[in-house]
Amino acid sequence: MSGLIITPVPLPPSIGTACPSDGLLYESSPQTAELTAAEPTVGSSYKIGQSPEIGRLLIATRDICADEVIIDGEEALAVGPKQATHPVCLTCYRRVDGSYLCPRCQWPLCSETCWQSEDGPHQRYECELLASKHVHPTMEELKQDDCRLYDCIAPLRIVLDGQRNPERSRLWLGLEDHRMYRKKIGIWQIDKHTVVDPVRVKWQLGDRFGDDELQRACGILEVNAFEVCDENKSISARAVYSHACLMAHDCVPNTACTVNPATQKMTVRAAVDISAGQMITTSYTFTLDGTLRRRAHLKETKFFDCCCPRCSDPTELGSHLSSLACPRCNGRNYTVPEDPLNPESYWKCQGEQCGNRIGPSQVNQLLTCLQRKADELNYDDTRGLEIFIETWSSILHPNHSILIGIKYYLCHFYGNAPGYQLREMPLHLLARKMKLCEELLGVALILEPGASNFHCNIDKSSLIRELELTEREFARGQTSEENNETTDFEDDNRP
């Protein structure tokens, strides 16, 4: 799973919502009246389309085969630290403790190597500017896990890039920032407190940067940024891309996205076959979240209500990531929302002879309680995780998002963690691993079909465990045969 944060382009009624969550249409920034973007390279399999409902989007110009590269190593327009991040190096975005400081501006870097990187973003953009104003995090701020000073860096780089490069400024003007809606729901005021005021007042840069251009940069990031991280989560950054950010949203996307953490280049592959004229889509939210959480996340962070086929289906296309066991049927049937697009909907048992209904407040109370219990679990205690799954499987569908998230973790833990390496695990844990892989593959085939990151990771994991299990069973069988042969030989030679 990529875990990427992707541009929130609202979708038309057939695929998603065509306007923000309150059903009203908001004007874009004045600068976006004439949208511009770099044209796709000659021979590209997509074009930039325009829709009155959703703005710009990517459309396949020919049939695209599964696993075919659609966007190959697109360079980021801008890269910077994530919001509310722990202190990171402003060149490579790895965590820092303040032991090495930039000799010029005194912001922490990871090493002299990053300081000497003349092509690095820190040297190119903010270093000299911050040094001239003598502004940098205090040692106390460097101990914080959510040092908000880092919120200012990425917006500052976007504004500086637009000021210094008139040609690239046209690309920035073509990106949506949802300014009116951000004002309506209060994000504008938060950005003023965490970015605009620190840059203009605390850093005394009000003569260089205006409120409006900083707010626009914040909006561009909030609407269009991808998360950049590596497998170990040691890198904490966000990046904006000219073309990749135009992919429309679908909770069952037809692409898989990867970002090279070293170069921040984006590659987009087709997860399934995509027909000519079809929209190229990705997911702006976490695949294994249920509908309530996905739609709430999209509403709060991407400013629209998703009405895609998955969100509109009470069973989430048969994956049952939100389904609850019916208390009246003793778990023989499952309870699903009557109207999954309405968070206040009643939930009803699918059993033909039951029809038991549960109110939304009861459902929300139950899910809030179980999610809190799940969040409090010790993930080093695999036995505790297995007990949690066993205990609550009588109330939740086995594929429920609360359980499937833990199963996904265990699937990777078994066979990879110290003390649980393949050659160390007993057969019953290898068998458990196989069962987890099978359950997750069933979900992946529905929610991320084809050559998706989630599907491929589980498929590979399943194959490895199956081979290991087969090898172990074969070895055990051989040992048993040898023992039997020895016993028979001894029996035949007894006096």
Side-chain angles (χ1 to χ4, degrees), residues 388-407:
F388 183 92
I389 292 171
E390 182 180 357
T391 301
W392 298 111
S393 289
S394 61
I395 293 177
L396 305 173
H397 190 284
N399 287 351
H400 194 280
S401 61
I402 293 176
L403 300 181
I404 211 74
I406 300 172
K407 291 178 179 181

Side-chain angles (χ1 to χ4, degrees), residues 238-305:
R238 49 183 172 164
V240 178
Y241 301 85
S242 178
H243 289 167
C245 75
L246 298 180
M247 289 187 291
H249 166 79
D250 197 300
C251 288
V252 183
N254 58 20
T255 65
C257 306
T258 55
V259 178
N260 184 318
T263 64
Q264 293 90 48
K265 289 184 177 181
M266 163 71 72
T267 297
V268 179
R269 293 178 179 272
V272 295
D273 292 341
I274 302 174
S275 301
Q278 187 178 348
M279 283 200 299
I280 296 171
T281 64
T282 188
S283 176
Y284 307 166
T285 188
F286 186 42
T287 300
L288 294 184
D289 274 344
T291 296
L292 284 173
R293 292 194 69 171
R294 284 197 325 279
R295 296 186 82 237
H297 173 262
L298 291 169
K299 181 175 180 178
E300 292 169 6
T301 65
K302 302 301 183 182
F303 318 135
F304 72 96
D305 283 317

